[in-house]
Amino acid sequence: MGGLADNVAILSNFADRYVLAKWVRYIKVEAADQERLAYAFLTVAHAASFSDKMIIWSDVQVSEAERRTLVSFENGKWVFRDGFGKVCAVH
């Protein structure tokens, strides 16, 4: 996905020592079509701040459409659309 992968496994002793989170988004996968490689996400919250080893979550204060992301694999590339269907990024 051109470096846009969300799921990563890192050993905790390495992460505690070297990884500093700058931005985190909590999403709900609303739909997944594995045959078409198409996915629909809804942003539920984002990180307001970080405290020690905890994330302090904040509700998303935007419209429903702005909280949605549609991702699909089209013509050999990953296409990201916002909730209005506008293409945001292609990788």
Side-chain angles (χ1 to χ4, degrees):
M1 291 183 51
L4 293 175
D6 290 332
N7 297 314
V8 178
I10 301 173
L11 295 173
S12 61
N13 62 339
F14 179 84
D16 290 345
R17 190 168 176 187
Y18 298 107
V19 176
L20 174 63
K22 293 184 178 183
W23 185 79
V24 178
R25 178 171 63 157
Y26 177 32
I27 64 167
K28 175 183 176 186
V29 178
E30 294 190 305
D33 183 338
Q34 299 231 331
E35 284 185 23
R36 290 182 41 241
L37 293 176
Y39 309 91
F41 305 112
L42 176 67
T43 299
V44 176
H46 62 85
S49 63
F50 301 93
S51 172
D52 291 329
K53 295 181 182 183
M54 295 184 60
I55 299 171
I56 310 303
W57 294 104
S58 175
D59 291 337
V60 180
Q61 303 294 320
V62 295
S63 73
E64 185 82 8
E66 292 174 283
R67 294 171 52 201
R68 297 191 181 285
T69 305
L70 308 168
V71 181
S72 58
F73 195 67
E74 303 171 21
N75 300 317
K77 296 189 183 266
W78 288 102
V79 179
F80 293 76
R81 290 184 173 81
D82 63 17
F84 300 103
K86 178 183 172 192
V87 173
C88 302
V90 178
H91 296 276

